[in-house]
Amino acid sequence: MGAHAGRIVLRLAAGGVLVFLYIPLAIIVLYAFNDAKSQSWPIEAFSLRWFGVALGNAKVRDAFLLSFQAALGATTIALLLGSAAAFAVHRFRFFGRDTISFLVVLPLALPGIVTGMALNSAINFGIERGGPSFGLITIIVGHATFCIVVVYNNVIARLRRIPRSMEEASMDLGADSWQTFRYVTLPAIATALVAGGLLAFALSWDEIIVTTFTAGTDETLPVWIFSNFRLPNFRPVVNVVALFLILLSAIPVYAAARLTGGSGQVGTR
Amino acid sequence: MQQVASTVPSATERAPSRASVAVHLERVRKTFGEVVAVDDVDLEIRDGEFFSLLGPSGSGKTTTLRMIAGFEQPTSGRVLLHGRDVTGVPPYDRDVNTVFQDYALFPHMNVGDNVGYGLMVKGVPGKARRERVAEALRMVRLDGFERRKPNQLSGGQRQRVALARALINRPRVLLLDEPLGALDLKLREEMQIELKAIQERVGITFIYVTHDQVEALTMSDRLAVFNQGRVEQVASPADVYERPATAFVAGFVGTSNLISGDSAERIVGRRGIFTVRPEKIRLSEPGDAAHEEECTALGTVRGVAYQGSDTRYFVDLDGGLELVVTRQNLATSSMEALALKGKAVRLTWDRRHNLPVTKGGEGTEEE
């Protein structure tokens, strides 16, 4: 009896959490299909006309492209540096190993506004000495600071789950270090790499705080939304753009969760 | 008992047999920080023999195996494989293969690719590889399992795949690290017989790590008993059981039943440390007489463990010593066996069954 009641309470609680999380998103999605310009309830007619308006807007297209390039760039850097750091920390015992592990993970916990400020100062410092000016490159560097962490976390968690005997068996059977990496280690961490990459992409895709400090006058999609959603004329278009953002972050996160069997490190700021 | 149980270190003492030496460990020592895992071990393992490294966990047997495989490097000493010094040679350049305790199958490869892995990295072409994979799988009675994934196999089948994978390279020495530890008793007994049969068929030297003395006694031609990083005895199973070199060996391979000090003088008639196997001791009424050539002692049964085919009696001797006696339940019911608890009894056994042992580390005392 008690157990039965407990189960009902748990289900209600879980349902409540889901409603709390997803009702606001559902409203945005509904409004994206609203024919009217004003957000009035109930919605009288559905249409796709705001999708056309959004796609016809050059600023939206530019912002979409910039966001996409930034996310791809940051993900690439994160995959290279994040997995390299994970291998180094996992494989070798060296002085300060734990410190390095901590320092790699720290940027994820640091307030974005602090990271942003620091990067802004560093970029200004660099520009005076011939470094890149504010734009795609600086956005990528800024996003990479926290994207590296998710790749690192995913890869090192996987490396720790691979039994030592697996690589020993490979060497025992005649494979040298490179063959062992190529045929045994890399396949074993492949899904962790993909999952880490997808999460990194999703993080970069909707980032706004660090971007504000590193983008200069360029606008990524989230920045564009932020500067336009107060203008009544743009409200329907903003809803459509928000729907794109939701889709392009939800798909990679869903795929990453599937790849890591639900136990992956879904690190998010 | 053609050979007196020899203890190590004393490699020169042991007459080298006709067979050549497959693995030779020369004063091999391995330390991890402060901990001495393997302490100056000398061993000669002959070509084609089934040799076990037996000992409790932490006794250094697995570390010794890992040094033969090349996964660990000795802190000092040398490892020779068929006369070649391989100390410092990486695992992939040694003519040995290993069956791991956890099998270590590659989960992303099917059975065929797992078994063929050693040939693949050596560049053996696909057709020849497939033929040898099929042959290796046939040997472990897994014909046609090439396409299965490791996670679709039972524990016993994984075990066989690991064996086939290690044997396909045709190594001269196969190392097995507690390979049957994860299997249930029934399967383990089957695999013991099968492993032994395979070893005899392929004629490869098997070096087998186990903490199970029954397993070591069943399968080995010879075995080394490890304790705290040292080898206490190297001998045939019969010698290890019937002529244990040290108190530790007596206790680890069977029940220790040690008689020492004043009790030895009183019961055996002279000083020293002796062990007597529990199945050699007879239980009788306190009033019964003993022959001259027999040792005898009075005591009280403190506990009775009925084990189906036989019963173990824990007897406190009047002189303050505990001996275990096992008796087959030929005509004894469990009720009769259990009724002995608390009764006064006389223990008698033939003098020949007093086995002199040392505390450990040194040679055997002769009677």
Side-chain angles (χ1 to χ4, degrees), chain B residues 44-116:
Chain B
E44 271 186 16
I45 297 160
R46 296 169 198 151
D47 212 7
E49 104 179 305
F50 196 120
F51 192 94
S52 291
L53 311 180
L54 172 68
S57 53
S59 60
K61 55 191 193 307
T62 294
T63 306
T64 302
L65 193 83
R66 292 174 57 81
M67 287 191 285
I68 300 173
F71 303 137
E72 308 280 356
Q73 295 303 330
T75 311
S76 65
R78 299 202 303 160
V79 179
L80 292 98
L81 290 176
H82 296 96
R84 174 185 166 223
D85 186 350
V86 295
T87 323
V89 172
Y92 47 84
D93 283 333
R94 296 185 184 204
D95 198 7
V96 299
N97 285 120
T98 309
V99 177
F100 291 84
Q101 187 168 13
D102 61 358
Y103 315 140
L105 299 181
F106 306 129
H108 56 285
M109 295 182 197
N110 63 27
V111 167
D113 290 342
N114 262 285
V115 174

Coordinates of all heavy atoms in Angstrom, one line a residue, chain B residues 44-116:
Chain B
E44 N 63.3 -22.3 -12.7 CA 63.5 -22.9 -14.1 C 62.3 -23.7 -14.5 O 61.9 -24.6 -13.8 CB 64.7 -23.9 -14.0 CG 66.1 -23.2 -14.2 CD 67.2 -24.2 -14.3 OE1 66.9 -25.4 -14.5 OE2 68.3 -23.8 -14.2
I45 N 61.7 -23.3 -15.6 CA 60.5 -23.9 -16.0 C 60.9 -24.6 -17.3 O 61.4 -24.0 -18.2 CB 59.4 -22.9 -16.2 CG1 59.0 -22.3 -14.9 CG2 58.2 -23.6 -16.9 CD1 58.2 -21.0 -15.0
R46 N 60.6 -25.9 -17.4 CA 61.1 -26.8 -18.5 C 60.2 -26.7 -19.7 O 59.0 -26.4 -19.6 CB 61.2 -28.2 -18.1 CG 62.2 -28.4 -17.0 CD 62.1 -29.8 -16.4 NE 62.8 -29.9 -15.1 CZ 62.4 -30.7 -14.1 NH1 61.4 -31.5 -14.3 NH2 63.0 -30.7 -12.9
D47 N 60.8 -26.9 -20.8 CA 60.1 -26.9 -22.1 C 58.9 -27.9 -22.1 O 59.2 -29.1 -21.8 CB 61.0 -27.2 -23.2 CG 60.6 -26.4 -24.5 OD1 59.7 -25.6 -24.4 OD2 61.3 -26.7 -25.5
G48 N 57.7 -27.5 -22.4 CA 56.6 -28.4 -22.6 C 56.0 -28.8 -21.3 O 55.1 -29.7 -21.3
E49 N 56.3 -28.2 -20.2 CA 55.7 -28.6 -18.9 C 54.5 -27.7 -18.5 O 54.4 -26.6 -19.0 CB 56.8 -28.7 -17.8 CG 56.9 -27.7 -16.8 CD 58.0 -28.0 -15.8 OE1 58.0 -29.1 -15.2 OE2 58.9 -27.1 -15.6
F50 N 53.6 -28.3 -17.8 CA 52.5 -27.5 -17.2 C 53.0 -27.1 -15.8 O 53.0 -28.0 -14.9 CB 51.3 -28.4 -17.2 CG 50.0 -27.6 -17.0 CD1 49.0 -27.6 -17.9 CD2 49.8 -26.8 -15.8 CE1 47.8 -26.9 -17.8 CE2 48.7 -26.0 -15.7 CZ 47.7 -26.1 -16.6
F51 N 53.3 -25.9 -15.7 CA 53.9 -25.4 -14.4 C 53.0 -24.4 -13.8 O 52.5 -23.4 -14.4 CB 55.2 -24.7 -14.7 CG 56.1 -24.5 -13.5 CD1 57.0 -25.4 -13.1 CD2 55.9 -23.3 -12.8 CE1 57.8 -25.1 -12.0 CE2 56.7 -23.0 -11.7 CZ 57.7 -24.0 -11.3
S52 N 52.7 -24.6 -12.5 CA 51.8 -23.6 -11.8 C 52.5 -22.8 -10.8 O 53.5 -23.2 -10.2 CB 50.7 -24.4 -11.0 OG 49.8 -25.0 -12.0
L53 N 52.1 -21.5 -10.7 CA 52.5 -20.6 -9.7 C 51.4 -20.5 -8.7 O 50.4 -20.0 -9.0 CB 52.9 -19.2 -10.2 CG 53.8 -19.2 -11.5 CD1 54.1 -17.7 -11.9 CD2 55.1 -19.9 -11.2
L54 N 51.6 -21.2 -7.5 CA 50.5 -21.3 -6.5 C 50.8 -20.4 -5.3 O 51.9 -20.4 -4.9 CB 50.3 -22.7 -6.1 CG 49.3 -23.0 -5.0 CD1 47.9 -22.8 -5.4 CD2 49.5 -24.5 -4.5
G55 N 49.8 -19.7 -4.8 CA 50.0 -18.9 -3.6 C 48.8 -18.0 -3.3 O 47.9 -17.9 -4.2
P56 N 48.7 -17.5 -2.1 CA 47.6 -16.6 -1.8 C 47.7 -15.3 -2.5 O 48.8 -15.0 -3.1 CB 47.8 -16.4 -0.3 CG 49.2 -16.7 0.0 CD 49.7 -17.6 -1.0
S57 N 46.7 -14.5 -2.5 CA 46.8 -13.2 -3.2 C 47.8 -12.3 -2.5 O 48.0 -12.3 -1.3 CB 45.4 -12.5 -3.2 OG 44.9 -12.4 -1.9
G58 N 48.6 -11.6 -3.3 CA 49.6 -10.8 -2.8 C 50.9 -11.5 -2.5 O 51.9 -11.0 -1.9
S59 N 51.0 -12.8 -3.0 CA 52.3 -13.5 -2.7 C 53.3 -13.3 -3.8 O 54.4 -13.8 -3.7 CB 51.9 -15.0 -2.6 OG 51.3 -15.5 -3.8
G60 N 53.0 -12.6 -4.9 CA 53.9 -12.3 -5.9 C 53.8 -13.2 -7.2 O 54.6 -13.0 -8.1
K61 N 52.8 -14.1 -7.2 CA 52.8 -15.0 -8.3 C 52.3 -14.3 -9.6 O 52.9 -14.5 -10.7 CB 51.8 -16.2 -8.0 CG 50.4 -15.8 -7.6 CD 49.6 -16.9 -7.1 CE 48.1 -16.7 -6.9 NZ 47.8 -15.5 -6.2
T62 N 51.3 -13.4 -9.5 CA 50.9 -12.7 -10.7 C 52.0 -11.7 -11.2 O 52.2 -11.6 -12.4 CB 49.6 -11.9 -10.4 OG1 48.6 -12.9 -10.2 CG2 49.2 -11.1 -11.6
T63 N 52.7 -11.0 -10.3 CA 53.7 -10.1 -10.7 C 54.8 -10.9 -11.4 O 55.4 -10.4 -12.4 CB 54.3 -9.4 -9.4 OG1 53.2 -8.8 -8.8 CG2 55.3 -8.4 -9.8
T64 N 55.1 -12.1 -10.9 CA 56.1 -12.9 -11.6 C 55.7 -13.3 -13.0 O 56.5 -13.1 -14.0 CB 56.3 -14.2 -10.8 OG1 56.7 -13.9 -9.5 CG2 57.4 -15.1 -11.4
L65 N 54.4 -13.6 -13.2 CA 53.9 -13.9 -14.5 C 54.0 -12.7 -15.4 O 54.4 -12.8 -16.6 CB 52.4 -14.4 -14.4 CG 51.9 -15.0 -15.7 CD1 52.2 -16.5 -15.7 CD2 50.4 -14.9 -15.7
R66 N 53.6 -11.5 -14.9 CA 53.7 -10.3 -15.6 C 55.1 -9.9 -16.1 O 55.3 -9.3 -17.1 CB 53.0 -9.2 -14.9 CG 51.5 -9.4 -14.7 CD 50.9 -8.3 -13.8 NE 51.1 -7.0 -14.3 CZ 50.3 -6.4 -15.3 NH1 49.4 -7.1 -15.8 NH2 50.6 -5.2 -15.7
M67 N 56.1 -10.3 -15.3 CA 57.4 -10.0 -15.7 C 57.9 -11.0 -16.8 O 58.7 -10.6 -17.7 CB 58.4 -10.2 -14.5 CG 58.2 -9.0 -13.5 SD 59.5 -8.9 -12.3 CE 59.0 -10.2 -11.2
I68 N 57.3 -12.2 -16.8 CA 57.6 -13.1 -17.9 C 57.0 -12.6 -19.2 O 57.6 -12.6 -20.3 CB 57.2 -14.5 -17.6 CG1 57.9 -15.1 -16.3 CG2 57.4 -15.5 -18.8 CD1 57.3 -16.4 -15.8
A69 N 55.7 -12.0 -19.1 CA 55.0 -11.5 -20.2 C 55.7 -10.2 -20.8 O 55.6 -9.9 -21.9 CB 53.6 -11.3 -19.9
G70 N 56.3 -9.5 -19.8 CA 56.9 -8.2 -20.2 C 56.1 -7.0 -19.9 O 56.4 -5.9 -20.2
F71 N 55.0 -7.2 -19.1 CA 54.2 -6.0 -18.7 C 54.8 -5.3 -17.5 O 54.5 -4.1 -17.3 CB 52.8 -6.5 -18.2 CG 52.0 -7.3 -19.3 CD1 51.3 -8.4 -19.0 CD2 52.0 -6.8 -20.6 CE1 50.6 -9.1 -19.9 CE2 51.4 -7.5 -21.6 CZ 50.7 -8.7 -21.2
E72 N 55.7 -6.0 -16.8 CA 56.4 -5.4 -15.7 C 57.9 -5.7 -16.0 O 58.2 -6.7 -16.5 CB 56.0 -5.9 -14.3 CG 54.6 -5.9 -14.0 CD 54.1 -4.6 -13.6 OE1 54.9 -3.7 -13.4 OE2 52.8 -4.5 -13.4
Q73 N 58.8 -4.7 -15.6 CA 60.2 -5.0 -15.7 C 60.7 -5.3 -14.3 O 60.3 -4.6 -13.3 CB 60.9 -3.8 -16.3 CG 60.5 -3.5 -17.7 CD 60.7 -4.6 -18.6 OE1 61.6 -5.4 -18.4 NE2 59.9 -4.8 -19.7
P74 N 61.6 -6.3 -14.1 CA 62.2 -6.5 -12.8 C 63.0 -5.4 -12.3 O 63.6 -4.7 -13.1 CB 63.1 -7.7 -13.1 CG 62.8 -8.2 -14.4 CD 62.1 -7.1 -15.2
T75 N 62.9 -5.1 -11.0 CA 63.8 -4.1 -10.4 C 65.3 -4.6 -10.5 O 66.2 -3.8 -10.7 CB 63.4 -3.9 -8.9 OG1 62.0 -3.7 -8.9 CG2 64.1 -2.7 -8.3
S76 N 65.5 -5.9 -10.3 CA 66.8 -6.4 -10.6 C 66.6 -7.9 -10.9 O 65.5 -8.5 -10.7 CB 67.7 -6.3 -9.3 OG 67.2 -7.1 -8.3
G77 N 67.6 -8.5 -11.5 CA 67.6 -9.9 -11.9 C 67.3 -10.0 -13.4 O 67.1 -8.9 -14.1
R78 N 67.3 -11.2 -14.0 CA 67.1 -11.4 -15.4 C 66.0 -12.4 -15.7 O 65.7 -13.3 -14.9 CB 68.4 -11.9 -16.0 CG 69.6 -11.0 -15.9 CD 70.7 -11.3 -16.9 NE 71.1 -12.7 -16.8 CZ 71.7 -13.3 -17.9 NH1 71.9 -12.7 -19.0 NH2 72.1 -14.6 -17.7
V79 N 65.4 -12.2 -16.8 CA 64.4 -13.1 -17.3 C 64.9 -13.7 -18.7 O 65.2 -12.9 -19.6 CB 63.0 -12.4 -17.6 CG1 62.0 -13.4 -18.1 CG2 62.5 -11.8 -16.3
L80 N 65.0 -15.0 -18.7 CA 65.5 -15.6 -20.0 C 64.4 -16.5 -20.6 O 63.8 -17.3 -19.8 CB 66.7 -16.5 -19.7 CG 68.0 -15.7 -19.4 CD1 68.2 -15.7 -17.9 CD2 69.2 -16.2 -20.0
L81 N 64.1 -16.4 -21.9 CA 63.2 -17.2 -22.6 C 64.0 -18.1 -23.5 O 64.6 -17.6 -24.4 CB 62.1 -16.4 -23.3 CG 61.1 -15.6 -22.5 CD1 60.3 -14.8 -23.5 CD2 60.3 -16.5 -21.7
H82 N 64.0 -19.4 -23.3 CA 64.8 -20.3 -24.1 C 66.2 -19.8 -24.3 O 66.7 -19.7 -25.4 CB 64.1 -20.5 -25.5 CG 62.8 -21.1 -25.4 ND1 61.6 -20.4 -25.4 CD2 62.4 -22.4 -25.2 CE1 60.6 -21.3 -25.2 NE2 61.0 -22.5 -25.1
G83 N 66.8 -19.4 -23.2 CA 68.1 -19.0 -23.2 C 68.4 -17.5 -23.6 O 69.5 -17.0 -23.4
R84 N 67.4 -16.8 -24.2 CA 67.6 -15.5 -24.6 C 67.2 -14.5 -23.5 O 66.1 -14.6 -22.9 CB 66.8 -15.2 -25.9 CG 66.8 -13.8 -26.3 CD 65.8 -13.6 -27.5 NE 65.6 -12.2 -27.7 CZ 64.4 -11.7 -28.0 NH1 63.3 -12.5 -28.1 NH2 64.2 -10.4 -28.2
D85 N 68.1 -13.6 -23.2 CA 67.8 -12.6 -22.1 C 66.7 -11.6 -22.7 O 67.0 -10.9 -23.6 CB 69.1 -11.9 -21.7 CG 68.8 -10.9 -20.5 OD1 67.7 -10.7 -20.2 OD2 69.8 -10.4 -20.0
V86 N 65.5 -11.6 -22.1 CA 64.5 -10.7 -22.6 C 64.2 -9.6 -21.6 O 63.2 -8.9 -21.8 CB 63.2 -11.5 -22.9 CG1 63.4 -12.4 -24.1 CG2 62.6 -12.2 -21.7
T87 N 65.0 -9.5 -20.5 CA 64.8 -8.4 -19.6 C 64.8 -7.1 -20.4 O 65.7 -6.8 -21.1 CB 65.9 -8.4 -18.5 OG1 66.3 -9.7 -18.2 CG2 65.5 -7.7 -17.3
G88 N 63.7 -6.3 -20.2 CA 63.7 -5.0 -20.9 C 63.1 -5.1 -22.3 O 62.9 -4.1 -23.0
V89 N 62.8 -6.3 -22.8 CA 62.2 -6.4 -24.1 C 60.7 -6.2 -24.0 O 60.1 -6.8 -23.1 CB 62.5 -7.8 -24.7 CG1 61.7 -8.1 -26.0 CG2 64.0 -8.0 -25.0
P90 N 60.0 -5.4 -24.8 CA 58.6 -5.1 -24.7 C 57.8 -6.4 -25.0 O 58.3 -7.3 -25.7 CB 58.3 -4.1 -25.7 CG 59.4 -4.1 -26.7 CD 60.6 -4.6 -25.9
P91 N 56.5 -6.5 -24.5 CA 55.7 -7.7 -24.7 C 55.6 -8.1 -26.1 O 55.5 -9.3 -26.4 CB 54.3 -7.3 -24.1 CG 54.6 -6.1 -23.3 CD 55.8 -5.4 -23.8
Y92 N 55.5 -7.2 -27.0 CA 55.2 -7.5 -28.4 C 56.4 -8.1 -29.1 O 56.3 -8.6 -30.3 CB 54.6 -6.4 -29.2 CG 55.4 -5.0 -29.1 CD1 56.5 -4.7 -29.8 CD2 54.9 -4.1 -28.2 CE1 57.1 -3.5 -29.7 CE2 55.5 -2.9 -28.0 CZ 56.6 -2.6 -28.8 OH 57.3 -1.4 -28.6
D93 N 57.6 -8.1 -28.5 CA 58.8 -8.8 -29.0 C 59.1 -10.1 -28.3 O 60.3 -10.5 -28.4 CB 60.0 -7.8 -29.1 CG 59.8 -6.8 -30.2 OD1 59.2 -7.1 -31.2 OD2 60.4 -5.7 -30.1
R94 N 58.2 -10.6 -27.5 CA 58.5 -11.8 -26.8 C 57.6 -13.0 -27.3 O 56.4 -12.7 -27.6 CB 58.2 -11.7 -25.3 CG 59.0 -10.6 -24.6 CD 58.7 -10.6 -23.1 NE 59.5 -9.6 -22.5 CZ 59.9 -9.6 -21.2 NH1 59.5 -10.5 -20.4 NH2 60.6 -8.6 -20.7
D95 N 58.2 -14.1 -27.4 CA 57.5 -15.3 -27.9 C 56.6 -15.9 -26.9 O 56.7 -17.2 -26.7 CB 58.5 -16.3 -28.5 CG 57.9 -17.2 -29.4 OD1 56.7 -17.0 -29.8 OD2 58.5 -18.2 -29.9
V96 N 55.8 -15.1 -26.1 CA 54.9 -15.7 -25.2 C 53.6 -15.0 -25.4 O 53.5 -13.9 -25.9 CB 55.3 -15.4 -23.7 CG1 56.7 -16.1 -23.4 CG2 55.4 -13.9 -23.4
N97 N 52.5 -15.7 -25.0 CA 51.2 -15.1 -25.1 C 50.4 -15.3 -23.8 O 50.8 -16.3 -23.0 CB 50.4 -15.6 -26.3 CG 50.9 -14.9 -27.6 OD1 51.3 -15.6 -28.5 ND2 50.8 -13.6 -27.6
T98 N 49.5 -14.5 -23.5 CA 48.8 -14.5 -22.2 C 47.3 -14.7 -22.3 O 46.7 -14.1 -23.2 CB 49.1 -13.2 -21.5 OG1 50.5 -12.9 -21.5 CG2 48.6 -13.2 -20.0
V99 N 46.8 -15.5 -21.4 CA 45.3 -15.5 -21.2 C 45.0 -14.8 -19.9 O 45.5 -15.1 -18.8 CB 44.8 -17.0 -21.1 CG1 43.3 -17.0 -20.8 CG2 45.1 -17.7 -22.3
F100 N 44.3 -13.7 -20.0 CA 44.1 -12.8 -18.9 C 42.9 -13.3 -18.0 O 42.0 -13.9 -18.5 CB 43.8 -11.4 -19.3 CG 45.0 -10.7 -20.0 CD1 45.3 -10.9 -21.3 CD2 45.8 -9.9 -19.2 CE1 46.4 -10.3 -21.9 CE2 46.9 -9.3 -19.8 CZ 47.2 -9.5 -21.2
Q101 N 43.0 -12.9 -16.7 CA 42.0 -13.2 -15.8 C 40.6 -12.7 -16.2 O 39.6 -13.4 -16.1 CB 42.3 -12.6 -14.4 CG 41.5 -13.1 -13.3 CD 42.0 -12.7 -11.9 OE1 42.9 -11.9 -11.8 NE2 41.5 -13.2 -10.9
D102 N 40.5 -11.5 -16.7 CA 39.3 -10.9 -17.2 C 39.1 -11.2 -18.7 O 38.2 -10.5 -19.3 CB 39.1 -9.5 -16.8 CG 40.2 -8.6 -17.5 OD1 41.1 -9.2 -18.2 OD2 40.2 -7.4 -17.3
Y103 N 39.9 -12.0 -19.3 CA 39.8 -12.4 -20.7 C 40.3 -11.3 -21.6 O 41.0 -11.6 -22.6 CB 38.4 -12.9 -21.2 CG 37.8 -13.8 -20.2 CD1 36.4 -13.8 -20.0 CD2 38.5 -14.8 -19.5 CE1 35.8 -14.6 -19.1 CE2 37.9 -15.7 -18.7 CZ 36.6 -15.6 -18.4 OH 36.0 -16.4 -17.5
A104 N 40.0 -10.0 -21.3 CA 40.5 -8.9 -22.1 C 40.2 -9.0 -23.5 O 41.0 -8.7 -24.4 CB 42.0 -8.7 -21.8
L105 N 39.0 -9.6 -23.9 CA 38.6 -9.6 -25.3 C 38.3 -8.2 -25.7 O 37.9 -7.3 -24.9 CB 37.3 -10.5 -25.5 CG 37.5 -11.9 -25.1 CD1 36.2 -12.7 -25.3 CD2 38.7 -12.6 -25.8
F106 N 38.5 -7.9 -27.0 CA 38.2 -6.5 -27.5 C 36.7 -6.5 -27.8 O 36.2 -7.1 -28.7 CB 39.0 -6.3 -28.8 CG 40.5 -6.5 -28.6 CD1 41.2 -7.3 -29.5 CD2 41.2 -6.0 -27.5 CE1 42.6 -7.6 -29.3 CE2 42.5 -6.2 -27.3 CZ 43.2 -7.0 -28.2
P107 N 36.0 -5.6 -27.1 CA 34.5 -5.7 -27.2 C 34.0 -5.2 -28.5 O 32.9 -5.6 -28.9 CB 34.1 -4.7 -26.1 CG 35.2 -3.9 -25.8 CD 36.5 -4.7 -26.1
H108 N 34.8 -4.4 -29.3 CA 34.3 -3.8 -30.5 C 34.5 -4.8 -31.7 O 34.2 -4.5 -32.8 CB 34.8 -2.5 -30.8 CG 36.3 -2.5 -30.8 ND1 37.1 -2.5 -29.6 CD2 37.2 -2.4 -31.8 CE1 38.4 -2.5 -29.9 NE2 38.5 -2.4 -31.2
M109 N 35.2 -5.9 -31.4 CA 35.5 -6.8 -32.5 C 34.8 -8.1 -32.3 O 34.5 -8.5 -31.2 CB 37.0 -7.2 -32.5 CG 37.9 -6.0 -32.8 SD 39.6 -6.7 -32.8 CE 40.5 -5.1 -32.6
N110 N 34.4 -8.8 -33.4 CA 33.8 -10.1 -33.3 C 34.8 -11.1 -32.9 O 36.0 -10.9 -32.8 CB 33.0 -10.4 -34.5 CG 33.8 -10.6 -35.8 OD1 35.0 -10.9 -35.6 ND2 33.3 -10.3 -36.9
V111 N 34.3 -12.3 -32.7 CA 35.2 -13.4 -32.2 C 36.3 -13.7 -33.2 O 37.5 -13.8 -32.8 CB 34.3 -14.7 -31.9 CG1 35.2 -15.9 -31.7 CG2 33.4 -14.5 -30.7
G112 N 35.9 -13.7 -34.5 CA 36.9 -14.0 -35.5 C 38.1 -13.0 -35.5 O 39.2 -13.3 -35.5
D113 N 37.7 -11.7 -35.4 CA 38.7 -10.6 -35.4 C 39.5 -10.6 -34.1 O 40.7 -10.3 -34.1 CB 38.1 -9.2 -35.6 CG 37.5 -9.1 -37.0 OD1 38.0 -9.8 -37.9 OD2 36.7 -8.2 -37.2
N114 N 38.9 -11.0 -33.0 CA 39.6 -11.1 -31.7 C 40.7 -12.2 -31.9 O 41.9 -12.0 -31.6 CB 38.7 -11.5 -30.6 CG 38.3 -10.3 -29.8 OD1 39.1 -9.8 -29.0 ND2 37.1 -9.8 -30.0
V115 N 40.3 -13.4 -32.3 CA 41.2 -14.5 -32.4 C 42.3 -14.2 -33.5 O 43.5 -14.5 -33.3 CB 40.4 -15.8 -32.8 CG1 41.4 -17.0 -33.0 CG2 39.5 -16.1 -31.6
G116 N 41.9 -13.5 -34.5 CA 42.9 -13.3 -35.6 C 43.7 -12.0 -35.4 O 44.6 -11.7 -36.2

